[in-house]
Amino acid sequence: MKHFPFRRIAVTLLFLISIPLSAQDYFFKDKAPFDSNIPSPEEFLGYPIGHQHTRHDLIVAYLEKLAELSDRASIEIYGKTHEKRKLVMLTVSTPENLSNLENIKRDHLRFVDPNDNPTNYNDVPIFVQLGYNVHGNEPSSSEAAMLTAYTMVASNSSEVMNYLNNAIIFIDPTINPDGRDRHTQWANQFKANQLVSDGSDAEHNEAWPRGRTNHYWFDLNRDWLLAVHPESQGKLNWYHKWYPNVVTDFHEMGTRSHYFFEPMKPIGSKDPIMPKENYTTLNDIFATYFVEALDDIGSLYYTKESFDGTYPGYGSSYPDLQGALALLFEQASSRGHLQETHYGTISFPFTIRNQYKSSIATVKAAVENKGTLREYQQDFFKSAINVGAPSGYAAYEFGDAYDMNRNRAFVDFLLKHKIDVYKRDNKYVVPLKQPQRRMVQTMFETYRQYSDSVFYDASAWSVANFYNLKYKGLFRFNTSGEPLASIDKSEVVPVPKSSYSYILDWDDYYAPSALYYMQSKGLKVEVAFKPFSVMTTAGLKSFNYGSVLIPVSLQNESPEEVLKIVNEAKAKFNVPIFGTKTGFSNSGIDLGSNNFRAVKKPKVALLIGDGVSSYEAGEVWHLLDTRVHMPVSKIQMRSFRNANLDKYNTLVMVSGSYSQLDSMQVKRLSNWASKGNTLVTIGRASQWAINKKLVKEKLTKKPKSKDSTKVTKRLPYVDASEHLGRERVGGAIFEVDLDITHPLGFGYRSDKLPVYKNNNVFIAPSKNAYATVAKYTDKPHIDGFISEKNLDIFLKPSASLIVSPMGRGRAVLFADNPNFRGAWYGTNRLFINSLFLGSQISIPRPR
Ligand SMILES: [Zn+2]
């Protein structure tokens, strides 16, 4: 892959000095003539595209300039990132189309409405959404976005005029601006005048947490489904107004590769949701255009061998579930401006050109197949209501009787995907006969049948299980009444003043957030270790394990001030709090019982940095920061040695290698825990703690084979990666049996709980009878792929969650990831319990 575009252009310039040739001819010479009133990216930025990594604010400024100068373009802000960067969409077409956009949109949306029957497939301009740079450190595509925008806005070639007449082109230059700017800053600061292609140079090796992810280190190319972040929420909101016919998703992969475009590897699961024409017919049509464009510039490429679109939360799969054709592109990364590969060197401009050429080819393919794409989208939505789900169900019903905020969160989530939800007494019902029928299936159906077993990502996404919402299929549903337009936002009624005590119901998802708020305001609280019922200001009420007592007379604050704080917590988190005038219970423990234990405010530190999984660390940070509203100290591994651990009562270690912690540091950690503190480990950190003998627990071992004469069976070399990949637990859902009398199980009403496992960490149940909080059930498999060997030999006999003593303190060991992708409302509660109630867990020892 020898490409030295600028050197070649520089030479050309020497000879053709009298002709005003731009360095940008490398990209789009064939699209001339250009409107000279419109600045090219080079003229606007002051450097040729590919010379620097362009900051997001400059990309936005350039698109704003195009919209300001040209009547072919308009720009809108569809959201803001966590770091308040603008998320923008540039709309490009002919001035006539743009001034008539509302009518064109109305005509377009008739094809999305399954009850309408338009047939003017070729008369309405096709909607193409070019999306770039969801992974911040895959930077070539945003640079290509500027070139594409310039081409569409400024080129007067007959080719481009034809595209504009026949298409509305939506350009989202940077899906992940926060991550992009982290990487942009990195690549530019280490760039030298003499480009350094040595892969060991700092320019090519970003520091932790790197730029791929967003502010909280989440992969936004998984968040289209889970919609946890403002970037995806803004995008979904935009998406469901426009329903484009074609959507692109541009990426970069390892440096040692050639270009990739679809078709991907044939679909891994026998997932019946997607119409097969999407994978076969449409991808094949589009592929011919990419072949032509890349053959033309001599770029090598491959298709069909890798990536799968099975997980529905990618930018290259979600639109497929909305009647569009979504397209994945993967460019080998120059990661920096020039890097050596085993094919020669790869330059930043070279990577940008492939993405640019594919962008233009996408528009061309969309325009030339307008009728086919529209008919496909129309059929897609018509079949949503005309064809039933294979399950035979008419609807799904759910609704937790105890936790209204978890119900609300899930309903809110469904509404973000424009799924119709009906309220029926205390239950919610989601009918399958609706335009979003396939998304309903996605949220509730589970799979066990796989034709292929190596997944690029998770193999399970039944989101109802993420939220621990027990649901059942209904064979009949009457869609009378209107679906919910929004979640119930009725005003929170303040609790009346009590001079005795208040009780916070721990069953609610946001109860810990309210508790933290009250603790931060100085209130002293006690937690019930046994259930009770008591007369409250709202009548006789039963309280479960974990209910939080706020005794008025024990506070330093006046009764008025206590009431104020309690009602602030109630209003802020919409949680159930009750007043009571008596300490005498109708059943169970009285309010003065020793089974109420005083709990201290958690002071939490989280280890981050080299060797630590930035995803899992980000999940903890995001959960505590945005849901619990708790500050958490993020301690870099490199400063661990000097950190004063005594400032914290809880330390969280997520999956990571932790090889930097030598025996001295391990001893320090052990001594700190022994003083009565709580160490919480997740996944591979639990494995590490066991291997380092911080706790006296064991990993589940494979039983030794008695037959020493067993001969290894030969297998074909070519199958090795498929066979070995099968033994990786890529991401699947399992059922555990939870001890709901254990402090970590407080707030749960059912002892059956779905958990998410995406690692091969298998912990043996503790030898102490009271220490295994959650264990996999006899038939644990709920959703997703796991090999029989992993299921039977490793998973079934193992524990999912145990607590192990460390002197006067304890370690809480999670085998699975309770906080996965910010969406596991069902299990992140276990994790939150470990922070609030950890200090009160002592492991009972038989004498
Ligand atoms: Zn990527």
Side-chain angles (χ1 to χ4, degrees):
M1 220 192 265
K2 272 199 190 292
H3 293 273
F4 301 101
F6 291 130
R7 191 176 303 169
R8 195 164 58 215
I9 285 158
V11 172
T12 315
L13 277 172
L14 276 180
F15 289 100
L16 302 170
I17 204 80
S18 58
I19 302 167
L21 248 184
S22 153
Q24 309 296 278
D25 282 356
Y26 173 63
F27 301 107
F28 45 53
K29 194 174 173 185
D30 60 332
K31 299 294 182 289
F34 288 94
D35 180 346
S36 59
N37 294 317
I38 307 292
S40 70
E42 179 178 358
E43 285 161 345
F44 182 84
L45 297 167
Y47 55 83
I49 287 287
H51 189 265
Q52 294 283 120
H53 284 60
T54 307
R55 286 199 327 254
H56 175 69
D57 61 328
L58 291 175
I59 296 172
V60 172
Y62 179 61
L63 299 194
E64 283 171 341
K65 180 58 85 180
L66 294 181
E68 177 196 319
L69 294 177
S70 170
D71 52 7
R72 285 191 201 170
S74 69
I75 193 162
E76 75 169 294
I77 297 172
Y78 71 79
K80 287 238 174 109
T81 68
H82 287 291
E83 294 175 19
K84 307 299 174 215
R85 287 186 178 83
K86 290 180 199 168
L87 297 159
V88 299
M89 192 72 78
L90 186 79
T91 307
V92 190
S93 192
T94 61
E96 297 70 39
N97 283 342
L98 284 190
S99 60
N100 194 30
L101 192 56
E102 277 310 307
N103 290 330
I104 294 173
K105 183 185 181 188
R106 193 194 56 221
D107 290 346
H108 165 74
L109 292 180
R110 289 185 63 198
F111 292 96
V112 176
D113 178 354
N115 297 311
D116 205 342
N117 298 296
T119 53
N120 52 337
Y121 302 107
N122 280 300
D123 300 344
V124 186
I126 200 79
F127 284 25
V128 184
Q129 202 263 301
L130 303 173
Y132 299 92
N133 212 175
V134 65
H135 291 146
N137 60 2
E138 300 174 3
S140 55
S141 71
S142 289
E143 311 284 346
M146 288 187 280
L147 295 171
T148 306
Y150 174 65
T151 304
M152 294 298 161
V153 170
S155 166
N156 287 322
S157 67
S158 59
E159 179 196 342
V160 169
M161 294 317 294
N162 180 43
Y163 298 157
L164 298 183
N165 277 320
N166 289 289
I168 311 291
I169 301 161
F170 301 96
I171 300 177
D172 182 346
T174 322
I175 300 170
N176 174 16
D178 294 348
R180 177 177 175 89
D181 275 1
R182 278 209 301 279
H183 176 260
T184 295
Q185 180 75 0
W186 184 272
N188 287 341
Q189 71 181 319
F190 286 106
K191 186 197 172 201
N193 282 323
Q194 314 309 318
L195 294 184
V196 178
S197 62
D198 175 6
S200 302
D201 185 70
E203 181 186 343
H204 311 300
N205 296 283
E206 286 179 277
W208 199 98
R210 295 172 276 278
R212 175 185 174 94
T213 50
N214 79 345
H215 175 75
Y216 287 103
W217 316 329
F218 276 63
D219 188 336
L220 290 178
N221 197 35
R222 306 294 183 271
D223 198 46
W224 282 68
L225 176 69
L226 305 171
V228 170
H229 293 281
E231 293 91 342
S232 325
Q233 290 167 5
K235 182 49 92 57
L236 287 179
N237 189 34
W238 181 91
Y239 198 98
H240 286 282
K241 284 182 190 149
W242 294 96
Y243 294 99
N245 300 90
V246 178
V247 178
T248 64
D249 193 22
F250 286 96
H251 290 260
E252 292 183 15
M253 54 185 163
T255 301
R256 295 160 67 106
S257 250
H258 292 298
Y259 202 66
F260 174 88
F261 55 84
E262 298 205 36
M264 300 180 187
K265 200 165 81 163
I267 263 160
S269 75
K270 289 174 183 157
D271 180 337
I273 293 181
M274 189 70 64
K276 69 177 189 316
E277 296 75 27
N278 180 296
Y279 181 79
T280 53
T281 319
L282 295 183
N283 271 325
D284 287 347
I285 292 173
F286 272 65
T288 61
Y289 289 82
F290 307 133
V291 166
E292 187 191 16
L294 294 162
D295 283 351
D296 187 47
I297 55 171
S299 277
L300 292 170
Y301 51 81
Y302 75 102
T303 64
K304 301 182 286 284
E305 287 175 74
S306 53
F307 305 106
D308 67 75
T310 331
Y311 175 73
Y314 301 128
S316 59
S317 58
Y318 186 85
D320 286 333
L321 286 164
Q322 302 297 333
L325 175 67
L327 296 161
L328 172 72
F329 300 95
E330 292 272 357
Q331 165 64 49
S333 186
S334 61
R335 195 117 326 139
H337 297 82
L338 185 72
Q339 198 175 161
E340 279 161 15
T341 80
H342 59 333
Y343 303 120
T345 53
I346 181 167
S347 74
F348 193 34
F350 172 77
T351 65
I352 296 166
R353 187 170 66 159
N354 285 338
Q355 308 280 42
Y356 168 72
K357 293 288 180 186
S358 302
S359 300
I360 303 293
T362 300
V363 175
K364 182 180 183 190
V367 163
E368 292 183 2
N369 296 280
K370 203 160 66 163
T372 308
L373 289 162
R374 272 207 193 294
E375 231 178 309
Y376 172 79
Q377 190 171 42
Q378 185 180 44
D379 287 348
F380 180 93
F381 282 106
K382 281 195 177 296
S383 67
I385 60 164
N386 294 334
V387 181
S391 62
Y393 291 139
Y396 287 98
E397 181 190 84
F398 67 91
D400 193 277
Y402 302 99
D403 186 350
M404 296 312 130
N405 271 326
R406 195 154 41 87
N407 285 334
R408 280 188 203 107
F410 187 58
V411 170
D412 185 44
F413 164 80
L414 295 173
L415 296 180
K416 284 193 179 96
H417 291 286
K418 295 290 173 276
I419 291 172
D420 287 344
V421 184
Y422 292 78
K423 188 95 193 270
R424 292 283 187 269
D425 301 320
N426 292 325
K427 296 284 182 188
Y428 297 91
V429 185
V430 182
L432 276 144
K433 189 170 180 175
Q434 60 169 301
Q436 292 296 342
R437 186 254 297 167
R438 290 179 180 87
M439 289 308 292
V440 178
Q441 288 179 265
T442 298
M443 305 311 179
F444 293 95
E445 286 183 357
T446 58
Y447 296 97
R448 285 149 187 270
Q449 297 297 309
Y450 300 93
S451 55
D452 185 359
S453 49
V454 182
F455 286 87
Y456 185 66
D457 194 79
S459 63
W461 46 81
S462 47
V463 186
N465 284 313
F466 291 29
Y467 283 71
N468 185 27
L469 282 164
K470 310 271 182 284
Y471 60 94
K472 65 175 185 191
L474 305 176
F475 286 103
R476 248 178 260 282
F477 177 67
N478 175 5
T479 48
S480 62
E482 286 294 307
L484 296 175
S486 64
I487 50 167
D488 160 36
K489 290 209 177 90
S490 55
E491 213 164 290
V492 180
V493 184
V495 62
K497 188 180 169 189
S498 167
S499 54
Y500 195 79
S501 66
Y502 300 97
I503 305 169
L504 165 64
D505 187 336
W506 195 245
D507 286 343
D508 192 275
Y509 183 76
Y510 283 111
S513 313
L515 169 58
Y516 190 79
Y517 180 81
M518 294 191 288
Q519 287 181 317
S520 303
K521 295 285 175 184
L523 293 192
K524 298 191 188 83
V525 301
E526 296 174 11
V527 168
F529 273 53
K530 285 189 178 172
F532 60 97
S533 66
V534 71
M535 187 57 78
T536 72
T537 44
L540 185 65
K541 160 97 182 133
S542 295
F543 290 95
N544 203 17
Y545 295 96
S547 297
V548 178
L549 179 70
I550 304 118
V552 177
S553 64
L554 298 188
Q555 309 298 334
N556 297 329
E557 290 77 5
S558 68
E560 290 71 30
E561 183 62 17
V562 174
L563 176 69
K564 183 169 165 274
I565 296 169
V566 164
N567 272 327
E568 280 167 0
K570 190 173 199 289
K572 205 166 153 66
F573 299 103
N574 195 5
V575 288
I577 304 183
F578 303 86
T580 170
K581 290 182 166 51
T582 175
F584 187 73
S585 66
N586 278 49
S587 64
I589 56 174
D590 292 322
L591 304 195
S593 159
N594 280 343
N595 276 305
F596 276 96
R597 313 251 171 95
V599 292
K600 288 209 179 100
K601 191 173 82 167
K603 288 180 200 152
V604 179
L606 165 69
L607 290 191
I608 66 163
D610 278 332
V612 177
S613 160
S614 59
Y615 295 119
E616 288 188 19
E619 286 157 6
V620 169
W621 179 27
H622 176 261
L623 175 71
L624 299 184
D625 193 32
T626 68
R627 299 231 183 99
V628 187
H629 294 211
M630 176 198 285
V632 48
S633 299
K634 304 182 290 299
I635 298 180
Q636 295 267 19
M637 289 301 290
R638 59 180 152 78
S639 28
F640 180 76
R641 194 176 292 269
N642 301 318
N644 174 11
L645 295 182
D646 290 331
K647 289 197 283 187
Y648 317 106
N649 54 29
T650 311
L651 181 71
V652 179
M653 296 174 73
V654 300
S655 289
S657 69
Y658 298 104
S659 53
Q660 304 97 307
L661 300 182
D662 58 22
S663 55
M664 280 271 291
Q665 298 307 318
V666 172
K667 184 92 183 109
R668 236 180 103 223
L669 197 58
S670 176
N671 289 343
W672 166 84
S674 302
K675 294 177 201 167
N677 296 310
T678 305
L679 174 68
V680 182
T681 59
I682 295 175
R684 285 187 292 121
S686 301
Q687 190 174 36
W688 175 85
I690 292 170
N691 287 337
K692 289 287 170 190
K693 303 199 166 25
L694 275 167
V695 288
K696 286 194 188 109
E697 304 295 345
K698 288 197 162 65
L699 298 168
T700 301
K701 293 235 169 60
K702 190 178 171 182
K704 284 209 177 76
S705 163
K706 288 190 186 93
D707 183 5
S708 58
T709 59
K710 202 173 154 229
V711 180
T712 303
K713 192 180 149 210
R714 286 177 67 232
L715 293 168
Y717 181 81
V718 69
D719 293 341
S721 71
E722 294 280 318
H723 286 165
L724 297 174
R726 204 179 287 167
E727 298 307 329
R728 201 175 61 89
V729 181
I733 302 174
F734 303 100
E735 184 185 67
V736 298
D737 184 281
L738 175 69
D739 179 359
I740 59 174
T741 74
H742 191 283
L744 295 183
F746 286 2
Y748 288 85
R749 290 279 180 159
S750 164
D751 57 7
K752 296 292 178 290
L753 176 70
V755 301
Y756 189 80
K757 187 161 198 68
N758 61 342
N759 61 34
N760 285 54
V761 176
F762 300 103
I763 302 177
S766 178
K767 287 218 157 60
N768 184 308
Y770 307 101
T772 301
V773 185
K775 191 194 169 306
Y776 303 103
T777 58
D778 294 340
K779 287 183 183 156
H781 185 231
I782 294 178
D783 192 13
F785 176 79
I786 184 168
S787 73
E788 266 175 47
K789 178 178 147 198
N790 278 333
L791 181 65
D792 292 332
I793 296 179
F794 290 106
L795 191 93
K796 282 185 184 173
S798 294
S800 169
L801 173 60
I802 63 179
V803 184
S804 200
M806 292 178 78
R808 287 192 290 118
R810 77 288 306 154
V812 176
L813 306 159
F814 286 91
D816 310 315
N817 182 0
N819 306 318
F820 187 63
R821 289 183 184 162
W824 272 81
Y825 281 69
T827 49
N828 59 28
R829 192 59 200 279
L830 293 171
F831 173 76
I832 294 172
N833 279 350
S834 76
L835 310 183
F836 281 91
L837 305 174
S839 64
Q840 285 300 326
I841 303 171
S842 53
I843 295 92
R845 272 167 236 193
R847 284 166 218 276

